[in-house]
């Protein structure tokens, strides 16, 4: 489908042959798009452009799990930030594409975007972020959370272990979901709190497990439960993994009765150690800007805030 708005043509890309066109607008994940198409995390019909002649004005794209029929995330919405105000073009592009990509009446997938860590201090970055937020606010979306993107590299060194804790592998899925359910009590994570407003803690834990942990191809033998000494009661757990792009600390939780005693540092140290022993070049992680205890734990472990992310929902 191709739609024209005052000499601006809005259409999906034809396929991998138009990735070079699609990538004329810079973004931190451009280098991943070829592989995403090959691995069916994206489809050409989920990747749309607004062009005037041979000039790319704006683009939009959705992402999903490999082979999924419907996208899980809107993760690209870009305009040529060096040009005139293209807000109306970007909004027309999103609305035209969404009508074709999304099922009629369906709630649109969440929007997620990586942004500079200092975006509020950089006038150009601030203007670019606000434009994208404004475009989606005009369609009914609202900002839900801002997150810190974190990275550890081997030069930082493996964090010191907590000698109070012993670690064992997760016994089975039910054991992990039970611990996840317990750690949701009092959570500061915005996505988890959103889930808890609509479902029980157990249901939220199952949803998170099935949508994320169950999709990892990395060994489940990496997942660890931290206990008070050998055969002691669990204080929490950590899920080191490798997603489609990076080694990650996918989840880290301390059960409510053991919070405030510094066990988070030991859990994070163990997860970092497991991945470091795989000779990974980096480890990625993320936490909400408002989750100061978790952000501070990552900083103590040598993780650097290299970027931020925003999420919006309808």
């Amino acid at each position: 489908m191709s739609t024209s708005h005052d000499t601006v043509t809005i259409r999906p890309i034809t396929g991998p042959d138009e990735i070079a066109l699609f990538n004329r607008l810079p973004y931190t994940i451009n280098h991943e798009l070829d592989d995403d198409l090959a691995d069916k995390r994206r489809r050409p019909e989920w990747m749309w452009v607004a062009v005037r002649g041979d000039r790319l004005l704006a683009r939009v794209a959705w992402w999903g799990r490999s082979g999924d029929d419907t996208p899980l995330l809107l993760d690209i919405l870009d305009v040529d930030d060096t040009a005139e105000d293209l807000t109306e073009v970007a909004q027309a592009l999103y609305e035209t594409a969404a009508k074709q990509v999304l099922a009629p009446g369906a709630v649109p997938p969440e929007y997620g975007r990586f942004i500079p860590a200092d975006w509020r201090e950089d006038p150009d970055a601030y203007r670019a972020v606000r434009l994208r937020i404004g475009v989606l606010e005009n369609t009914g979306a609202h900002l839900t959370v801002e997150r810190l993107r974190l990275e550890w590299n081997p030069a930082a060194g493996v964090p010191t272990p907590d000698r109070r804790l012993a670690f064992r592998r997760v016994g089975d899925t039910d054991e992990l979901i039970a611990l996840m359910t317990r750690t949701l009590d009092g959570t500061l994570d915005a996505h988890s709190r959103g889930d808890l407003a609509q479902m029980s803690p157990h249901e939220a834990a199952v949803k998170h497990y099935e949508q994320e942990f169950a999709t990892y191809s990395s060994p489940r033998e990496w997942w660890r439960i931290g206990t008070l000494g050998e055969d002691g009661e669990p204080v929490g757990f950590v899920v080191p993994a490798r997603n489609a792009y990076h080694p990650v600390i996918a989840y880290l939780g301390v059960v409510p009765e053991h919070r405030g005693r510094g066990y988070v540092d030991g859990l994070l140290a163990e997860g970092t150690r497991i991945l470091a022993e795989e000779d990974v070049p980096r480890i990625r992680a993320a936490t909400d800007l408002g989750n100061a205890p978790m952000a501070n734990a990552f900083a103590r472990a040598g993780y650097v805030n290299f970027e931020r992310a925003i999420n919006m929902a309808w």
Side-chain angles (χ1 to χ4, degrees):
M1 176 181 179
S2 178
T3 304
S4 293
H5 296 261
D6 298 327
T7 75
V8 174
T9 298
I10 293 174
R11 63 172 177 84
I13 65 171
T14 57
D17 56 304
E18 286 200 314
I19 284 294
L21 165 68
F22 194 81
N23 281 349
R24 286 181 190 172
L25 298 181
Y27 187 37
T28 187
I29 64 172
N30 277 0
H31 66 284
E32 298 173 355
L33 302 187
D34 272 317
D35 286 344
D36 281 350
L37 275 172
D39 293 337
K40 302 188 184 305
R41 291 185 291 270
R42 298 186 192 274
R43 299 183 180 190
E45 60 267 28
W46 295 354
M47 304 173 70
W48 285 62
V49 294
V51 294
R52 181 182 290 129
D54 63 355
R55 178 186 165 201
L56 179 63
L57 301 177
R59 64 179 188 168
V60 65
W62 285 262
W63 176 95
R65 288 190 298 254
S66 181
D68 278 2
D69 291 331
T70 56
L72 286 177
L73 181 70
L74 170 68
D75 66 340
I76 294 177
L77 173 62
D78 282 314
V79 301
D80 182 351
D81 290 311
T82 68
E84 69 276 16
D85 184 356
L86 294 172
T87 300
E88 290 186 5
V89 171
Q91 187 163 337
L93 170 63
Y94 171 79
E95 292 176 347
T96 301
K99 287 178 182 178
Q100 299 300 314
V101 174
L102 308 180
V107 177
E110 182 180 60
Y111 171 63
R113 181 172 181 85
F114 301 141
I115 58 178
D118 63 348
W119 71 278
R120 286 185 175 82
E121 289 73 47
D122 181 329
D124 291 337
Y126 182 83
R127 184 166 52 252
V129 172
R130 287 303 314 171
L131 184 151
R132 289 154 178 78
I133 290 175
V135 166
L136 295 182
E137 284 179 336
N138 288 341
T139 72
H142 61 277
L143 186 67
T144 55
V145 68
E146 181 174 339
R147 291 171 61 78
L148 305 176
R149 300 194 73 216
L150 307 158
E151 182 175 277
W152 175 95
N153 63 64
V158 177
T160 303
D162 187 337
R163 300 301 180 189
R164 298 173 297 174
L165 298 180
F167 289 92
R168 61 175 174 81
R169 295 177 181 175
V170 174
D172 57 24
T173 299
D174 289 342
E175 181 181 34
L176 182 59
I177 288 177
L179 281 173
M180 292 173 67
T181 301
R182 291 171 63 189
T183 62
L184 286 172
D185 183 6
T187 181
L188 298 177
D189 181 85
H191 285 95
S192 295
R193 291 168 70 93
D195 284 341
L196 293 173
Q198 304 176 57
M199 62 189 75
S200 72
H202 176 75
E203 290 169 333
V206 170
K207 174 188 173 185
H208 194 148
Y209 181 89
E210 292 180 345
Q211 292 188 354
E212 184 176 354
F213 301 165
T215 68
Y216 293 145
S217 60
S218 52
R220 298 190 180 195
E221 288 77 12
W222 291 354
W223 304 354
R224 291 290 188 273
I225 293 174
T227 61
L228 292 176
E230 297 293 338
D231 302 320
E233 64 176 298
V235 303
F237 66 98
V238 60
V239 178
R242 186 186 293 271
N243 63 22
Y245 308 100
H246 304 284
V248 295
I249 299 295
Y251 201 105
L252 174 66
V254 179
V255 297
E257 60 267 31
H258 288 297
R259 290 175 184 158
R261 302 172 190 175
Y263 294 132
V264 63
D265 293 328
L267 293 165
L268 180 54
E270 178 68 2
T272 303
R273 179 194 67 78
I274 288 169
L275 291 175
E277 288 185 351
E278 300 296 316
D279 293 323
V280 299
R282 73 189 65 83
I283 302 170
R284 293 280 174 87
T287 192
D288 290 2
L289 178 63
N291 192 345
M294 193 65 74
N296 291 337
F298 277 108
R300 290 192 296 270
Y303 286 72
V304 176
N305 174 211
F306 73 97
E307 205 169 47
R308 292 192 182 185
I310 55 170
N311 292 113
M312 299 181 70
W314 281 260

